[in-house]
Amino acid sequence: MVELESVLLRVSEMVCELPEVREMDINPLVADEAGVIALDARIIVEAAKPDVRRYQHMAIMPYPTHMVQCATLNDQTKVMIRPVRPEDAQMQQEFVRNLSDESRYNRYLSSIKQLSQTMLVRFTQLDYDREMARP
């Protein structure tokens, strides 16, 4: 199952990263205790249009891994700077709980003690194409 999952993830990556792919037929894809193998495959591609934005061919933009960066702070601490992900919700909630009352008010213009579920979803489940600031 691990190998089959890996194949499906790689096919998904191809669809995301290569808008030139119009059709893909893998038949049969054999999975057994020895692994996974495609016995026959056919891929139809067409020339890429030069004015197409990255991921424009998709209804929902995938996580922008190309925006992940490593940086070193002045004190030599290494940090990773990346767009937020849905699994960051608990960390976001802890951040808000640990703010001072004044900081929470200045940030959210409210005297909230923690984020509601609706707010957590809004802040951590982004449409990376429409709701994210670009560098």
Side-chain angles (χ1 to χ4, degrees), residues 20-31:
E20 300 87 357
V21 173
R22 286 291 152 236
E23 293 180 29
M24 182 183 299
D25 182 20
I26 304 172
N27 189 13
L29 182 66
V30 178

Side-chain angles (χ1 to χ4, degrees), residues 103-119:
S103 292
R104 271 196 305 273
Y105 184 81
N106 288 335
R107 182 177 288 264
Y108 299 104
L109 301 177
S110 171
S111 58
I112 62 170
K113 296 290 184 193
Q114 66 180 16
L115 298 175
S116 68
Q117 186 63 33
T118 302
M119 291 174 81

